[in-house]
Amino acid sequence: MNARALPLYATIAIFLIAYVICYLQFPAMLSTRVIGNLLTDNAYLGIVAVGMTVVILSGGIDLSVGSVIAFSGVFIAVLLRDTGLHPLIVFALLLGVTTAFGAAMGGLIHGLAMPPFIVTLAGMFLARGAAYMLTIDSVPIDHPFYDLLQDAYYRMPGGGRFTLIGVLMLLSVAAGMLLAHRTRFGTSVFALGGGEHTARLMGVAVGRTTVLIYAFSGFMAGLSGIVFSIYTGSGYPLATVGTELTAIATVVIGGTILTGGSGYVFGTLIGVLTMGLIQTYIVFDGSLSSWWTKIVIGVLLLLFILLQKGLLMIGQRQQGGLT
Amino acid sequence: MLLTTRKLTKTFPGTVALDGVSFGLEAGEVHALLGENGAGKSTLIKCLTGVYSRDAGEIELEGRPISPASTHEAQELGIGTVYQEVNLLPNLTVAENLTFGRQPTRFGMVSGRKMRQAAAEMLSGYGLDHVNVSRELGTYSVAVQQIVAIARAVALSGKVLILDEPTASLDARETETLFDVVRGLRERGLGIVFISHFLDQVFDLSDRLTVLRNGRHIVTAKTSEMQRLDLIHHMLGHELEEAEDRRSRREAGAERLRFTGLGRRGKVEPFDLAVREGEVIGLAGLLGSGRTETADILFGRTPADRGEATDSEGSVDLSSPRAAIAEGFGYAPEDRKTDGIIADLSIRENIALALQARRGWSKPIPRQEQRALADEYIRRLDIRTSDAEKAVGELSGGNQQKVVLARWLAMNPRFLILDEPTRGIDVGAHAEILKLIGELTGQGMSILLISSEFDELIAASDRVIVVRDRRHVSELVGDEIETGRIIKSIAAHDTAEGAAP
């Protein structure tokens, strides 16, 4: 069996086992309502995590995404309040801004040979600051088109709502899977994660690839911001604080190795759903503090890091054995 | 001629790395490129593959002048290189590595089936039919990775293949597999430049050979017409003619340490070595013959995977440098700048380092004590510096070496390994370090001296062990220690011949 896929299988197994346990305790957990909500509630996280997966696969990190989501919400809310622009035009503007923002960070990372950690940390403060510049209040979004978006869903048998933003997330994951695993760009991303020096020798356009990776992450953060604004119906500069770290956690739980070069976009989806499942369980239980989500995520993260380290060691021992 | 260089010259600040080298490679031949450290082999290769741009001279490929500005350009022209360290990505599949940059696509998506097909075609004829191209490259042995790298280079370039020490981390069987591949490529009409430190392999594989020394072309000849002894003379050059004066050898002391059957797969064949009190054991051999590898094993840097080390009190733990230090071992490695000193720390800190490590970090050595220690060694070893707080990186090479020595002397080790202690340092410091070796053994310390300068080995050693192709092939004692003998041992075809009196 492919050792690198083991974390993915482990994630899937853990998710299924957790779901079975939840189901045994609360049979209602297997309804389409819960599944629909699982997708809807975590749509913004799933979308941004797809971007993060690509970044981490390349051996980088993007700490700015949480702030970019908050900025996006405020940007949309303020523009819809103060101008007569149609939301679709605002969306296009926003995606242009966040993609350019990501591309600029990628350019700095490559051009100045700076660690992504520092550059995107600066980006995180910048985007959060820009959100505050626009407004310090929570701005409600009141637009007929938004009502339309919020009410767009397919009623599944059993009453569950398969919402537009849930669909958007699944589409994002599918697009991310194609991009990472089936394109030349994706192979370049894996190559960068395997080692920049070697990647360069093999003919990867390192600069262009780096810029594209962070531009993609910026685009996904913008898209996630749009989804989040549809989900909450408002823009608030203090929203989604720490979401970048949650996204990183879901990527790692999804089986992607934090040092890059190995992982699966599909795993990230499972990571996001696992996280959502824990939250749903806490809601069903009713007596648990929501902080338990964080504790369980922490434990899961630790478990996966240990699992990956163990697999890495086994892999190294195997090397030389096969001829 | 497939590839020709004429009067190729490349200078770096302070050194002439290539001095008017002319070199010719025919299609359908394996041409070995030989030389010791600093001979200019890698500079020549880097000029050919576009890593360096030459200062003067011409390069012609199939009669047309070329001047590649990057490895990529050289590849396009037809010159592919495979390095000792495989320059492929272990986290990608074999197929992805082979087709990288030219993956077959359909509607913008990489077609996995076509890619695997293309990869399988590229690999056919290399005897790798058992390799599953959908698996990650990293799951295969270095030998397979090496052959995959060759397959990629041949498919991409297809005229000239440069193999830079491809066998350095392969065992005998893997090497043979690789050679079969290389012979197959020769049949197909490629020109192959083969760089190796293993003379047996050179004689085994190459059709012609070229020796460089100090950036100059020394000789090009048919391998079958070259005698081993002559070859080594060509490689080592002037050192041989120098008369050597030898230190008076003392009576050997009591046995201190015994290493039995120590070795490591792919590094050094198992060897026996007994170390007596106050003795200097010289280790002679060509570059890459197993000298440094022996030292690394004795100091636990690459721990032995077989054999044992004992002293009068029983077993000696050499599983890590830390354990070796605790056993009273010291090691001044060959690459002083990366392995010996910590350039940004002061002389005082560098000297106190090993002593502190042995005491444990919970018991810091008081600053005053460190200072006294540093001042003492600055005086004793005559380290030229304004004061003990100067960063070691600012000192000259010889003085850096003295700081490394001081670090170990402060621990008063019983066994000190010195790998090329005089490389790159001036003549004065050179003599001082040799004198110091004499003083230390007078106090009962045992020393293993590795050096590529035979006169230095002859002057300082009580015994000389000769290593060749990762094996300890012979031991010379007393009057046997002379240049001619050492050369003969290095050149000998097999152990018996080398050890014969």
Side-chain angles (χ1 to χ4, degrees):
Chain A
M1 189 169 54
N2 188 344
R4 279 164 202 272
L6 267 182
L8 177 66
Y9 298 146
T11 309
I12 296 173
I14 286 176
F15 175 71
L16 291 178
I17 291 168
Y19 214 116
V20 167
I21 293 172
C22 291
Y23 169 72
L24 291 178
Q25 200 174 350
F26 306 107
M29 288 278 277
L30 200 60
S31 67
T32 52
R33 280 170 200 270
V34 171
I35 292 169
N37 286 347
L38 208 55
L39 292 176
T40 305
D41 295 343
N42 296 291
Y44 79 98
L45 180 63
I47 292 169
V48 80
V50 168
M52 185 68 82
T53 310
V54 171
V55 172
I56 290 180
L57 280 176
S58 79
I61 200 137
D62 189 348
L63 296 178
S64 70
V65 294
S67 300
V68 171
I69 296 173
F71 169 81
S72 307
V74 172
F75 181 89
I76 294 166
V78 168
L79 244 62
L80 288 182
R81 184 190 63 189
D82 298 346
T83 68
L85 291 172
H86 190 272
L88 282 177
I89 295 170
V90 176
F91 290 168
L93 281 176
L94 173 80
L95 290 175
V97 169
T98 60
T99 307
F101 183 69
M105 288 194 299
L108 279 179
I109 289 165
H110 175 72
L112 305 180
M114 297 267 280
F117 187 94
I118 291 300
V119 174
T120 59
L121 186 69
M124 172 180 119
F125 286 112
L126 219 76
R128 186 71 67 183
Y132 274 109
M133 292 276 286
L134 291 174
T135 178
I136 52 168
D137 303 313
S138 174
V139 181
I141 298 173
D142 189 18
H143 195 284
F145 185 69
Y146 254 75
D147 298 336
L148 190 74
L149 292 177
Q150 281 161 342
D151 290 337
Y153 60 83
Y154 165 75
R155 185 178 292 277
M156 291 181 282
R161 288 175 177 188
F162 194 30
T163 58
L164 176 71
I165 60 175
V167 172
L168 262 179
M169 172 175 81
L170 292 179
L171 284 179
S172 300
V173 171
M177 283 167 70
L178 283 180
L179 187 74
H181 304 302
R182 294 297 301 277
T183 64
R184 287 189 182 184
F185 169 74
T187 316
S188 294
V189 169
F190 276 84
L192 269 187
E196 190 185 319
H197 176 72
T198 311
R200 197 186 297 275
L201 279 180
M202 287 183 69
V204 175
V206 175
R208 196 176 65 109
T209 310
T210 306
V211 170
L212 281 177
I213 288 166
Y214 287 90
F216 178 68
S217 178
F219 176 86
M220 292 312 260
L223 189 63
S224 170
I226 294 171
V227 165
F228 192 70
S229 75
I230 296 172
Y231 180 60
T232 60
S234 66
Y236 182 43
L238 253 181
T240 60
V241 172
T243 294
E244 63 280 352
L245 300 179
T246 315
I248 293 168
T250 59
V251 171
V252 172
I253 290 175
T256 299
I257 289 177
L258 202 48
T259 46
S262 168
Y264 299 88
V265 175
F266 182 70
T268 302
L269 174 66
I270 305 295
V272 169
L273 293 180
T274 306
M275 209 168 278
L277 186 70
I278 298 163
Q279 268 157 349
T280 313
Y281 177 84
I282 286 163
V283 172
F284 266 78
D285 183 86
S287 65
L288 287 172
S289 154
S290 69
W291 287 104
W292 276 101
T293 317
K294 308 261 175 202
I295 291 175
V296 175
I297 294 299
V299 170
L300 271 183
L301 252 183
L302 194 66
L303 213 75
F304 271 87
I305 292 166
L306 291 177
L307 176 73
Q308 288 178 358
K309 197 80 199 167
L311 288 174
L312 216 66
M313 269 150 59
I314 293 168
Q316 275 162 0
R317 210 165 304 153
Q318 254 180 11
Q319 219 181 28
L322 277 164
T323 49
Chain B
M1 281 293 162
L2 176 60
L3 179 75
T4 333
T5 74
R6 264 194 295 277
K7 302 236 178 291
L8 205 61
T9 300
K10 175 78 190 168
T11 47
F12 294 108
T15 50
V16 182
L18 277 185
D19 190 358
V21 171
S22 299
F23 171 80
L25 177 71
E26 307 255 18
E29 75 162 345
V30 177
H31 196 136
L33 194 56
L34 296 155
E36 286 288 274
N37 254 340
K41 285 175 306 190
S42 31
T43 312
L44 176 61
I45 296 308
K46 283 177 176 164
C47 286
L48 290 177
T49 54
V51 178
Y52 294 156
S53 60
R54 59 187 184 269
D55 295 342
E58 290 160 41
I59 306 176
E60 277 180 12
L61 183 67
E62 294 177 321
R64 279 193 301 277
I66 57 165
S67 32
S70 68
T71 46
H72 192 64
E73 201 184 323
Q75 256 173 28
E76 306 252 290
L77 286 166
I79 303 174
T81 317
V82 173
Y83 299 93
Q84 173 187 350
E85 303 295 329
V86 180
N87 266 314
L88 294 179
L89 290 156
N91 63 319
L92 299 186
T93 66
V94 175
E96 282 170 331
N97 268 297
L98 280 169
T99 58
F100 195 92
R102 309 185 306 170
Q103 299 102 316
T105 53
R106 254 182 94 203
F107 312 121
M109 296 288 140
V110 173
S111 159
R113 194 179 49 81
K114 275 195 200 161
M115 179 172 76
R116 286 190 292 277
Q117 222 166 33
E121 271 166 33
M122 285 166 79
L123 273 190
S124 70
Y126 288 95
L128 290 187
D129 300 331
H130 61 287
V131 167
N132 177 354
V133 295
S134 325
R135 283 187 67 148
E136 273 101 17
L137 182 71
T139 57
Y140 290 102
S141 69
V142 180
V144 171
Q145 296 188 27
Q146 199 74 260
I147 293 173
V148 171
I150 290 176
R152 179 178 159 88
V154 169
L156 247 55
S157 308
K159 290 177 188 164
V160 176
L161 179 64
I162 298 171
L163 301 173
D164 191 356
E165 290 195 51
T167 58
S169 38
L170 305 187
D171 65 25
R173 195 171 48 86
E174 293 170 333
T175 302
E176 207 33 63
T177 313
L178 186 82
F179 282 7
D180 286 340
V181 167
V182 174
R183 289 191 189 103
L185 293 173
R186 174 173 61 189
E187 297 299 308
R188 281 166 56 180
L190 264 78
I192 296 159
V193 179
F194 176 66
I195 298 175
S196 175
H197 293 307
F198 300 107
L199 292 188
D200 284 346
Q201 296 182 359
V202 168
F203 281 101
D204 190 14
L205 187 66
S206 69
D207 304 305
R208 290 198 300 158
L209 53 81
T210 289
V211 176
L212 300 182
R213 191 174 71 232
N214 295 329
R216 284 166 202 267
H217 176 266
I218 302 298
V219 67
T220 296
K222 280 213 170 100
T223 308
S224 53
E225 289 165 8
M226 175 65 83
Q227 296 297 314
R228 248 161 214 269
L229 208 58
D230 296 335
L231 177 60
I232 290 167
H233 273 277
H234 286 310
M235 288 167 69
L236 297 176
H238 73 283
E239 285 169 28
L240 308 178
E241 291 115 46
E242 280 178 14
E244 59 274 340
D245 65 324
R246 206 188 277 169
R247 78 184 184 119
S248 56
R249 297 183 209 288
R250 291 178 322 273
E251 289 296 301
E255 186 175 302
R256 278 283 202 74
L257 289 160
R258 174 171 280 277
F259 307 106
T260 320
L262 226 49
R264 185 182 170 93
R265 183 178 175 269
K267 291 285 180 189
V268 185
E269 306 265 319
F271 62 90
D272 297 329
L273 183 63
V275 180
R276 288 186 277 273
E277 185 174 339
E279 141 180 88
V280 178
I281 304 172
L283 207 52
L286 295 174
L287 185 69
S289 58
R291 298 179 313 201
T292 299
E293 289 79 358
T294 301
D296 282 349
I297 281 176
L298 291 178
F299 195 62
R301 201 157 95 152
T302 48
D305 60 5
R306 61 201 67 174
E308 55 173 359
T310 49
D311 61 7
S312 56
E313 287 161 25
S315 165
V316 174
D317 179 12
L318 300 178
S319 55
S320 69
R322 217 180 142 75
I325 291 171
E327 295 283 2
F329 282 42
Y331 181 19
E334 180 178 14
D335 195 340
R336 191 166 55 229
K337 282 208 168 52
T338 59
D339 299 340
I341 58 163
I342 299 175
D344 293 330
L345 292 187
S346 70
I347 297 174
R348 169 180 61 79
E349 289 163 319
N350 264 289
I351 291 179
L353 211 55
L355 196 61
Q356 181 69 71
R358 187 159 73 173
R359 274 173 60 144
W361 297 105
S362 57
K363 284 174 278 181
I365 305 170
R367 206 186 166 91
Q368 262 183 336
E369 220 172 281
Q370 289 185 22
R371 189 64 197 254
L373 194 72
D375 286 338
E376 184 198 328
Y377 281 103
I378 288 174
R379 204 180 57 248
R380 251 181 77 187
L381 304 187
D382 193 22
I383 300 172
R384 314 269 160 75
T385 174
S386 49
D387 71 299
E389 296 303 325
K390 201 164 172 179
V392 169
E394 296 170 23
L395 300 179
S396 72
N399 284 310
Q400 289 181 357
Q401 188 65 48
K402 286 180 187 171
V403 171
V404 175
L405 284 175
R407 176 194 302 158
W408 296 114
L409 298 186
M411 313 212 6
N412 193 24
R414 53 177 170 164
F415 184 49
L416 184 60
I417 303 164
L418 303 176
D419 194 354
E420 299 281 3
T422 58
R423 167 161 317 150
I425 67 180
D426 61 73
V427 182
H430 188 141
E432 284 172 42
I433 284 175
L434 286 186
K435 190 168 130 248
L436 185 70
I437 290 175
E439 283 172 20
L440 292 172
T441 50
Q443 294 160 20
M445 194 183 290
S446 310
I447 289 177
L448 181 73
L449 175 66
I450 300 174
S451 176
S452 42
E453 292 180 41
F454 290 157
D455 45 349
E456 183 175 302
L457 278 179
I458 290 161
S461 312
D462 298 303
R463 283 192 285 156
V464 172
I465 313 262
V466 178
V467 283
R468 171 164 51 82
D469 293 351
R470 306 279 158 92
R471 282 216 321 266
H472 290 214
V473 291
S474 64
E475 180 176 329
L476 307 172
V477 292
D479 291 337
E480 290 174 2
I481 304 180
E482 49 161 0
T483 313
R485 291 268 193 164
I486 297 176
I487 301 269
K488 246 187 207 152
S489 284
I490 292 176
H493 263 291
D494 57 287
T495 321
E497 203 178 317

